[in-house]
Amino acid sequence: MSNADNWQGDVLRDLRGGGRQPAPQGGPGPAGQSATPPVPPGQGQDPALPVAPQAPAPHATPHPAPQVPHAAGPHPAPQVPPAARQPQNHAPAHGPAHAGARATRTPDSRPAVDPSLAGASRKPRNGEPFTARAARAIWRTVSSSVAREVAEVSRIAESLQQPVTTGRQIAVTSIRGGAGKSTVAALLGTTYAHYRQDPVLFVEADPALGSLPIRLGAESLRWTTGDVADIVQPQMSLLDITGYLVQLRDNAWLLPGSQGQIGAMLDFRSYERAMVALRRYFGVTVVDCETLPAEVARVALTASQACVLTTPATLDGVASTHAVLQWMQGLPPHVIGGTVVVLTEQAPHSGINTDEAVRTLRSTGTSVHVLPYDRHLADGDAIRTVLLAQATRTAATRIAADAFQLSQKRH
């Protein structure tokens, strides 16, 4: 029983954890109680990075994690301090325990690429040959168009840095496999993370052995979209949320669709729950969807403010995409008006006249870009922006700016 004359001591003792048992750690507890295992020392926890809040140890004064305001109306995208924007090339060791989260099984962490295949990857190549890089450097020295190039880059950067009142969702999909949608999604999200100050989220809505984690250089995977759909609660803070995500470079996070296992399923209801809960924490969310007309892809397109439709720069790819765009002309105007088509060149010399293909596709009222062939992208490994060809970086930046501007027109 507390002493009425010494109530201050009782309060301090309670704050320090005196008289109460420490929170259990390890796997899920009985009767639906979920507990979180401790993080071993030195396992990727940078003190400057936002980490999941832990249960306070005895005799330590707990510090509550900052909460994102939940006022009615639009929610501004949260800002992460510059000190926290440092790269971390692996997933957090665990998800945070939270009183409002549903009880769930804690999945084991799995490598993004089987360790036995480590020797199959060779040294990454530069996106263009040395002779091409040298010729461009000489041209820039003697050309008078450098000022125009700088002005164009500045204009695009300014458009990419526009503030948002609610998080923008940009869905990347295709009508067939092998169209480069995961590559385009990785390029777009990386561009947003580079230019913007608010957090950027990659969501893999393609659980069928999607390649987005590999393209982004993720080392290990743990929590998936289906897992997070049953965990995230409205009262959670950004620090709570990021404990379930894979942290990438430049203030970006990844939510994988699976752990690289065959048979992983993602139903559209789980996807809806996850996206509704996560949207307000991130300024831009890039969703790597399944190929159309999969159910989750249709839901993602409906909920997104802009769509990027990728297609290989081949005759059958352009013909199929043109047929889809003609069908979309019969839908509400915002559908085709919010779509960006990307022709991906997958060989050094395209088998079609890309200029004519662009004109044909643009006749449907949509925006069309060409992503040129790049040796670095063709390797299929993690994308390193410093190795991309100059033409690839320019095209990716323009595509990202175009999609972001379209997303601003829809609420």
Side-chain angles (χ1 to χ4, degrees), residues 139 234 266 278 292:
W139 178 85
L266 175 64
L278 294 173
L292 291 172

Side-chain angles (χ1 to χ4, degrees), residues 23-235:
Q25 300 187 353
Q33 296 178 353
S34 177
T36 304
V39 182
Q43 199 170 44
Q45 293 293 342
D46 190 327
L49 297 174
V51 296
Q54 302 295 319
H59 308 297
T61 304
H63 297 274
Q67 299 291 325
V68 177
H70 303 291
H75 298 277
Q79 298 290 331
V80 173
R85 301 181 58 191
Q86 298 185 11
Q88 180 175 346
N89 296 324
H90 52 74
H94 67 284
H98 196 279
R102 303 180 187 177
T104 183
R105 180 186 62 85
T106 301
D108 296 327
S109 181
R110 291 175 176 268
V113 179
D114 194 308
S116 62
L117 298 175
S121 178
R122 63 180 181 181
K123 182 180 179 180
R125 295 185 296 172
N126 202 295
E128 55 187 347
F130 172 78
T131 54
R133 300 197 304 273
R136 188 178 65 255
I138 296 174
W139 178 85
R140 285 177 59 88
T141 302
V142 301
S143 175
S144 60
S145 62
V146 177
R148 292 195 301 271
E149 181 180 337
V150 172
E152 174 69 7
V153 171
S154 300
R155 183 190 64 80
I156 294 177
E158 183 179 357
S159 67
L160 287 169
Q161 293 169 350
Q162 292 181 8
V164 296
T165 54
T166 57
R168 303 287 89 186
Q169 294 183 28
I170 298 175
V172 183
T173 187
S174 63
I175 58 176
R176 62 181 63 191
K181 66 179 180 63
S182 295
T183 299
V184 172
L187 289 173
L188 294 185
T190 301
T191 302
Y192 295 133
H194 174 73
Y195 282 99
R196 300 188 60 81
Q197 295 297 318
D198 45 16
V200 173
L201 175 64
F202 294 87
V203 174
E204 187 182 38
D206 184 1
L209 299 179
S211 59
L212 184 61
I214 297 177
R215 284 309 219 176
L216 295 174
E219 295 183 1
S220 60
L221 310 175
R222 193 166 196 172
W223 303 93
T224 66
T225 307
D227 297 327
V228 171
D230 295 326
I231 295 173
V232 176
Q233 298 296 314
Q235 65 270 27

Side-chain angles (χ1 to χ4, degrees), residues 330-347:
L331 300 177
H334 73 267
V335 177
I336 196 167
T339 299
V340 178
V341 176
V342 178
L343 291 174
T344 58
E345 293 186 340
Q346 301 175 347

